[in-house]
Structures are given as C-alpha cells and as structure tokens.
Amino acid sequence: MARGFGATTDQLKEARRYARELREEDRLAAEAQAQRQTVVRAEGDDPLWSLPPSDPRVRFAMLIEAYPAELRTRLAALGKEFAEAVLRLEEGDAAGAWQALSPFVEREPAARFERARAALASQQPALAASDLASFGQQFGHQRIGALHTGVALAQILASGGRHADALEACDEMLRKGPDLAVEATRAHLLHAMGQHPQAEQATVATLHKAPKDLNLYRLLGLTRLAQGNRMGAMQALESGLNVNNCSNPMKCGFTPPDVPSLRLLARLYLEDRLDPARAKEVIAMLQGLVEQPTWEDAYIVALAARNESRPGWPELVAQLRANLPGNDPRQAWIDKNLAPALGG
C-alpha cells in the first residue's frame, strides 16, 4: 500500500524498523504489567499475603478464611507443612492427609479438627469421633465452614449404633447454650431411638425457631406416623409444602419441595384412598423433581393404579415384590396396602 503511494525502499525499511520497535515496547510493557500483577503485596502485619501465589499457605489461607478467628490463627501458625497436609485432603488424598496431619496434633490441639475431617473422608469414623470429642472439650463445639463439630460427632456415634451416647453429647452441648443444629439433631436421634412422643415435642419446639427447615417438617410427619397419627403426619407434610408460599417470591426466595416428604405424602394419600385430586397434584410435583425413579416411586405408581383400577396393576405389584429381598421391611407395605386388593 505504501508503494502505491510512492514510498521508496528506504522509507519502507524505516517503517518496518519503527513497527518492530513499537512491538518490542508493547511486549516489554506487557511483561512488566504481568509481573506487577503476580507480586503479592503484604497487607497490614500479616506476612502470609506477602508469599508468592504458588505457596501452599496462600491456598490454605483461602480455605480457612471462613473459619472462626481463633482457629484460623492457630492453624495458620503451623506453617507450610501443615498447609500442605490439609491441601492433600482437598485434593482427594484423605488417607495421606490423615497421616501427614497426625504429627501436628500434639503441637496444636486445634489441628484435631482437620485430622477429623481427614478421618471422615477416609472412612475412619471412630478416629474422627475421637478427634471431634477432644476438639469440643478444648475449644467448644462450633460451626466451622460447612461442618458443625458437635452435630458431626453425634451423627458418627449414632451411625455406629451408639444412639444413647449421641443423645448425651447433644444434651451436653445444649446445656452450654441453645443451638438449632444440635436441637434438630437431638430430635432426629429421639425418633431413631423410638422415643416418638419426645421426638415430636422436640421437633415442634425446633420448628418454632426454624420454620423454613423442610427436614423438620418431614421429621414431624414421621414421628406422628410412627404414633399412628396419619392425618397429623399429612398435615405436617402439607405445612412443609406451604413454606414457599409468599406474596413476593423475589423477596422470600424459593426452596424446591423436599422429595422424601412428597413421597411420604403421596404414599399416605394413596394408601388411605384420601383426596384423589390432591394425591394427583402431589404425584405431579414429585414426577417433576425425580430424575431417577426409586422403588418407592414404583410403589406409588402401583398404589395409584390400584386406586384407579387400571388394567395390569397386579403385574406392577409382582414387580415390586421381585425387586425386594424377602426380609426387606417394605414387603410389609405390599402385604398391608396392595396384597388385600389382590385377594392375597
């Protein structure tokens, strides 16, 4: 183009040289800018943020940013090797993280929290329970990130069949002050232990403090059902479905209905042959939320087919039986609610 306007060879060489100089200046400026961005400046008196981004302590600092201040300070003081051990857990090496964290426990009791997380992730519940119990005695049970140390301890004890110990752990925590997560866990424990009237009372008391907790509405339904109060169970489950009702959803937000609650509610309506129109609405909600149907979903379909006398519904019952071991407690559902209609 320049030649077309009469540029000479020397002028073309000078233009090319000038273009090369401009490109080199741009490259040097870009490198300088990148270097300025990768240099981490110290903020206040915290030396951690003066470390290079590749240092594991920086990733560790981001990981524990939401921890309580005292715990964060104690763990950060354990240095680079401790940070690397915790990051092994985050990268999926739970067993290796547990081993790497163990030497730090004697130096700093707060390290038991991270070792408990590693024990849980590596399927060592007894070791996790021991660390969580020791941590709670030293620092008090508390919510750390997504984990409540006291609730986790109670759940581990209960999963190992130690329900009485789990209940005592909850009671001990509540003697130190109210805690909704612990109160809800205690209500679940009472239900699991067969103390259904006490479980119902505890659930209602907790619901007054946490009226949007869908798990509690389901628990209330289960405690009432266990006491033979089927209508009361339905009312509790329906109340859970009404949690999302508000005049302005943009302000009050939306929580999807609880799928296990919908299943239980559909079962009760269909088993008792109550309010067919409402039963259909509940089933429609359930079908809109379930991607992979379960045996219980098939049981609900069989109940609906029985109630409507659809052709072929006895074959659905036969399939339900075939998909359960003979000693499965759900066989009793079939015996009580479907078999009589078959004359068996």
Side-chain angles (χ1 to χ4, degrees):
M1 186 181 297
R3 284 190 183 279
F5 284 98
T8 65
T9 300
D10 290 340
Q11 288 173 329
L12 288 173
K13 289 181 179 180
E14 178 64 21
R16 292 192 186 100
R17 183 189 63 78
Y18 181 63
R20 286 195 297 272
E21 290 177 353
L22 289 178
R23 285 197 296 271
E24 181 65 12
E25 289 177 3
D26 289 344
R27 185 185 68 80
L28 293 174
E31 288 182 357
Q33 177 65 18
Q35 186 175 8
R36 284 194 297 271
Q37 290 177 342
T38 57
V39 173
V40 180
R41 307 286 182 189
E43 294 186 8
D45 297 326
D46 188 351
L48 187 63
W49 297 107
S50 65
L51 297 170
S54 59
D55 193 293
R57 284 169 289 182
V58 175
R59 286 177 57 200
F60 175 66
M62 296 175 66
L63 176 68
I64 65 172
E65 189 175 6
Y67 284 18
E70 180 188 1
L71 181 62
R72 189 168 62 241
T73 301
R74 285 175 173 270
L75 297 183
L78 290 175
K80 184 177 180 180
E81 290 184 358
F82 181 78
E84 290 173 337
V86 174
L87 291 176
R88 290 179 70 170
L89 173 60
E90 299 305 309
E91 292 164 358
D93 182 12
W98 189 90
Q99 292 180 343
L101 288 166
S102 293
F104 293 95
V105 170
E106 295 302 322
R107 290 170 46 191
E108 172 52 72
R112 288 187 180 275
F113 171 72
E114 295 295 348
R115 193 172 70 166
R117 287 206 309 130
L120 281 173
S122 58
Q123 306 300 313
Q124 302 181 85
L127 295 175
S130 176
D131 275 338
L132 288 171
S134 296
F135 179 89
Q137 290 172 358
Q138 181 87 18
F139 302 101
H141 286 294
Q142 54 193 289
R143 184 172 294 281
I144 304 172
L147 182 72
H148 189 295
T149 58
V151 169
L153 174 60
Q155 290 173 341
I156 294 169
L157 293 173
S159 66
R162 298 170 58 187
H163 291 87
D165 292 337
L167 186 62
E168 173 56 32
C170 288
D171 288 339
E172 182 180 352
M173 285 182 274
L174 292 174
R175 282 193 286 269
K176 297 176 182 178
D179 187 301
L180 279 176
V182 177
E183 291 171 30
T185 302
R186 183 178 182 276
H188 279 278
L189 283 169
L190 289 169
H191 174 62
M193 296 170 72
Q195 299 181 27
H196 304 302
Q198 298 91 326
E200 179 180 357
Q201 183 179 8
T203 304
V204 170
T206 309
L207 264 172
H208 284 310
K209 303 176 185 178
K212 292 187 178 295
D213 190 328
L214 300 184
N215 290 326
L216 289 174
Y217 287 99
R218 176 171 16 109
L219 178 59
L220 182 58
L222 289 169
T223 61
R224 289 177 174 175
L225 181 60
Q227 297 173 81
N229 183 4
R230 296 174 70 87
M231 289 300 298
M234 293 181 208
Q235 291 169 359
L237 296 167
E238 288 284 12
S239 296
L241 292 180
N242 290 328
V243 165
N244 289 313
N245 287 349
C246 63
S247 59
N248 188 345
M250 296 298 291
K251 289 186 177 180
C252 62
F254 175 77
T255 302
D258 179 57
V259 169
S261 294
L262 286 173
R263 286 190 175 116
L264 180 55
L265 185 58
R267 273 182 50 207
L268 294 175
Y269 275 128
L270 293 169
E271 287 174 351
D272 295 359
R273 300 177 184 266
L274 293 175
D275 201 342
R278 179 55 178 161
K280 286 184 178 180
E281 293 174 353
V282 174
I283 292 172
M285 284 190 282
L286 185 58
Q287 291 173 337
L289 293 170
V290 173
E291 295 182 1
Q292 296 292 331
T294 64
W295 183 94
E296 191 171 350
D297 293 312
Y299 173 72
I300 289 169
V301 170
L303 285 171
R306 177 206 68 175
N307 290 2
E308 297 171 8
S309 300
R310 297 179 202 161
W313 76 266
E315 286 75 9
L316 297 177
V317 178
Q319 291 174 7
L320 287 173
R321 282 205 186 277
N323 290 328
L324 284 181
N327 60 349
D328 192 295
R330 289 173 293 181
Q331 291 282 3
W333 299 4
I334 301 174
D335 294 339
K336 180 179 178 181
N337 299 299
L338 292 171
L342 294 171

